[in-house]
Amino acid sequence: MKNSKTIWIHGDQFMLVPYYVRQGEKIKANIGFYFHQAFPASAVFQSFYKREELLQSLLHSDLIGFHIWEYARNFINSC
C-alpha cells in the first residue's frame, strides 16, 4: 500500500488498542500485535470480564504473534 503505516503493539495490557486504532483511523495502517506473555487456556479466558470485547479488538489486528504454538492454539480456541 502506498503511504501505509505499520503499528506494532506489544503486551496484553494493550489488548483494546487495535479496536480504537481502527475506529479513529484516518490513514491506512497495518496493525501487528505481539504477546510477550502466555495467552490463557480458553477455560481460563472464559472467566475474564469483557472477554468478548478483548477478542473482538484483537481480531482487528492484521497480525497476532505468540511465543509458542500452544499460546496461539489457546487464542484460536478462545475465538
Side-chain angles (χ1 to χ4, degrees), residues 13-54:
Q13 66 271 27
F14 300 116
M15 288 173 73
L16 290 174
V17 172
Y19 170 77
Y20 290 111
V21 168
R22 290 283 188 229
Q23 295 305 314
E25 189 174 30
K26 293 185 176 32
I27 59 170
K28 289 289 182 191
N30 294 319
I31 300 174
F33 194 97
Y34 191 80
F35 278 92
H36 291 279
Q37 305 84 307
F39 194 87
S42 60
V44 174
F45 195 79
Q46 293 250 334
S47 68
F48 284 16
Y49 180 70
K50 302 275 187 179
R51 65 187 169 273
E52 292 174 12
E53 288 86 350
L54 294 172

